[in-house]
Amino acid sequence: MTASPPPVLPDARLAAGIARLAVRYRGHFSPETIQRLIIDSYERLAEHARIRTHLVVLAEHLATERLDALAHVQGAPGSGLPRVLFVCSHNAGRSQMAAALLAHRVNGSMVVSSAGTHPAAAVEPVVAQVLTEAGVDLTDAFPKPLTDEVVQAADIVITMGCGDACPVLPGRRYLDWPVTDPEGAPIAVVRGIRDEIDAHITQLLDSLPST
């Protein structure tokens, strides 16, 4: 029986990322699984990209996040750090702000991620600006598609205006924060949205058991 030929990479430069991740996850995931996830991540990001200059790098970042989530799902129940996922429609405003603010405050004691049901091409510049004012860096953030792995790995899923498109899985804690969409809003309004999200985060942290 003849073996199936390997899938053609949508960009030859992805091969280097596949090799890096194969070393990183040796013993956990097969090279075929890693290649499949990198190709899928690239194609999902390419659907919404206006500029493709950094797609190869972003695909590797997204695939890494998905592999880490998958490793968590396959591990012992309750193992690892608590995981919080923020979901909105475009992953360009509210969910990016929430994830960045929470990650800043917990300082590595949680795994925080965000995604969009219909991700935009880029994070809203005004969102990055108001976070910078608060001492939170959003330099490396980019809108990410919602994937099964990150949903399944999350302990808490917080939705922010994605309606019926938001994921629902049994066994997760779900919260909905009805926060105004900052898209197109003046910076003074976006600052208010940032502060409202930060207040929600304070309530969330107060509701969690102390470690």
Side-chain angles (χ1 to χ4, degrees):
M1 182 175 177
T2 305
S4 300
V8 177
L9 298 179
D11 188 311
R13 294 173 297 170
L14 291 170
I18 293 169
R20 278 190 293 271
L21 294 184
V23 171
R24 177 171 176 170
Y25 294 100
R26 182 180 291 135
H28 295 282
F29 298 112
S30 68
E32 291 78 15
T33 296
I34 291 168
Q35 180 166 284
R36 176 179 58 80
L37 277 176
I38 280 206
I39 291 174
D40 183 67
S41 296
Y42 180 94
E43 290 175 343
R44 288 183 185 226
L45 292 171
E47 286 180 27
H48 309 282
R50 289 196 298 261
I51 301 172
R52 299 186 169 226
T53 309
H54 304 296
L55 268 183
V56 169
V57 174
L58 298 183
E60 184 175 343
H61 288 331
L62 178 56
T64 300
E65 182 175 312
R66 295 172 70 181
L67 288 162
D68 284 344
L70 190 57
H72 180 80
V73 170
Q74 294 177 353
S79 64
L81 297 173
R83 302 177 76 97
V84 179
L85 170 65
F86 293 96
V87 184
C88 70
S89 297
H90 303 305
N91 195 217
R94 290 167 289 189
S95 57
Q96 289 282 358
M97 276 199 281
L101 288 165
L102 178 59
H104 181 71
R105 290 182 60 175
V106 301
N107 193 30
S109 63
M110 293 180 180
V111 177
V112 184
S113 58
S114 67
T117 54
H118 300 89
V123 175
E124 294 283 340
V126 69
V127 167
Q129 182 177 343
V130 300
L131 286 174
T132 298
E133 292 173 358
V136 180
D137 184 18
L138 206 64
T139 303
D140 296 328
F142 62 98
K144 296 181 289 295
L146 187 63
T147 63
D148 290 342
E149 300 88 2
V150 294
V151 177
Q152 291 171 5
D155 299 297
I156 302 173
V157 178
I158 300 174
T159 57
M160 309 179 78
C162 50
D164 292 340
C166 286
V168 177
L169 285 178
R172 306 293 181 277
R173 178 183 176 188
Y174 283 90
L175 299 171
D176 183 68
W177 293 355
V179 179
T180 303
D181 189 346
E183 183 178 4
I187 190 167
V189 172
V190 181
R191 288 186 182 117
I193 294 170
R194 174 200 62 199
D195 296 343
E196 181 182 354
I197 290 173
D198 203 44
H200 279 295
I201 287 172
T202 296
Q203 293 175 346
L204 172 66
L205 293 175
D206 287 345
S207 74
L208 298 177
S210 57
T211 55

